[in-house]
Amino acid sequence: MSVSELPLKPGRAREGRALQKGQQTKAAIVDAALGLATQIGVEGLSIGALAEVTQMSKSGVFAHFGSREELQISVIREYHRRFEEEVFYPAMRAPRGLPRLRALFANWMKRTSVEIDSGCIYISGAVEFDDRPGPVRDALASSVATWHAAMKRSITVAKEEGHLLADVDEEQMLFEIHGLILALHYEARFLKTPGSIARANAGFDNILRRCGAAPAARPTKSPRTTKTASKE
């Protein structure tokens, strides 16, 4: 019998179930808080508002976080986790270089298109905490910086693979790509400008066209290879 198969003592079993239930409850609270934050912003979150939404007591919600600040940070971390699951990790299955960079942007656009209606915590949070130093701002800025570092790394790899020109400025290219996302939110969410998604995609293609290396020439088949292939 392995260690994992050994029966737990009654006291430990109860503690394990209580811990699991507590984790599930906290996850449910964070999920509700994330949904609320997309509507009223991270700054608008409070223990009282969340207790009302989850139909729990204030003390019950407070017991899982200890402070409003910790609640806000937990929401930012959960948002970042979901962002990675939807945008980053699926793109890692694409081939290195330009295909992966395209996949990252396509996934980012897909999520942004949905958030035109629901709201993006990265963007709304930047407005709320741009001039408010503290742990919440630090958590938000760290999440965005992590994502930008991943995008920049993909640009660098695309250069290494010869898919982009060798003198491409990774920081500038990242700046312009991020600018497309910000412009899309402003145009589509605030101004309700038709065709904003298509324009953002066209903007990305324009960036690649300006920064892209010429495609490698395919080797010309020799007469013998061509003749053999025709016989097959």
Side-chain angles (χ1 to χ4, degrees):
M1 179 181 291
S2 66
V3 174
S4 61
E5 292 173 333
L6 290 173
L8 293 174
K9 293 182 179 180
R12 293 184 178 179
R14 285 193 295 271
E15 290 176 2
R17 286 194 293 270
L19 179 60
Q20 184 179 21
K21 184 177 180 181
Q23 291 173 338
Q24 291 173 344
T25 302
K26 184 175 182 178
I29 295 173
V30 171
D31 183 67
L34 182 54
L36 191 61
T38 59
Q39 301 173 30
I40 64 175
V42 175
E43 176 58 20
L45 288 176
S46 68
I47 299 294
L50 195 53
E52 184 177 347
V53 170
T54 57
Q55 297 183 333
M56 295 177 61
S57 65
K58 291 183 180 180
S59 60
V61 175
F62 186 84
H64 288 282
F65 300 97
S67 68
R68 174 171 174 263
E69 186 177 82
E70 183 57 37
L71 167 64
Q72 293 171 322
I73 292 174
S74 295
V75 167
I76 292 170
R77 288 172 177 167
E78 176 62 15
Y79 180 85
H80 182 70
R81 185 191 69 79
R82 296 186 186 188
F83 187 95
E84 287 185 325
E85 289 291 333
E86 294 180 23
V87 179
F88 178 73
Y89 290 117
M92 291 301 100
R93 295 193 289 265
R96 284 167 54 88
L98 191 56
R100 187 171 296 176
L101 180 60
R102 285 186 180 277
L104 284 169
F105 183 77
N107 293 346
W108 197 3
M109 280 291 297
K110 183 178 179 180
R111 183 177 176 94
T112 301
S113 300
V114 173
E115 290 181 333
I116 287 172
D117 296 322
S118 63
C120 172
I121 286 181
Y122 284 165
I123 295 177
S124 63
V127 175
E128 293 176 302
F129 294 96
D130 61 345
D131 58 352
R132 301 184 60 182
V136 178
R137 185 190 186 282
D138 292 345
L140 184 63
S142 176
S143 295
V144 175
T146 298
W147 166 237
H148 282 192
M151 283 293 293
K152 182 181 175 182
R153 173 58 183 162
S154 293
I155 295 171
T156 300
V157 172
K159 286 177 58 176
E160 294 171 352
E161 295 291 324
H163 299 160
L164 297 176
L165 297 172
D167 61 351
V168 165
D169 184 334
E170 293 99 325
E171 291 284 358
Q172 181 64 32
M173 188 173 182
L174 172 62
F175 186 91
E176 294 180 20
I177 293 173
H178 187 211
L180 293 174
I181 298 296
L182 296 178
L184 174 59
H185 263 272
Y186 192 92
E187 292 287 337
R189 185 172 171 83
F190 179 56
L191 297 179
K192 311 295 183 184
T193 305
S196 298
I197 293 176
R199 289 188 180 279
N201 282 319
F204 182 66
D205 290 338
N206 288 339
I207 292 172
L208 292 185
R209 190 176 300 112
R210 190 181 72 247
C211 299
R218 293 183 179 181
T220 304
K221 293 182 179 180
S222 65
R224 172 180 289 185
T225 303
T226 305
K227 185 177 181 180
T228 304
S230 63
K231 288 183 178 180
E232 295 176 350

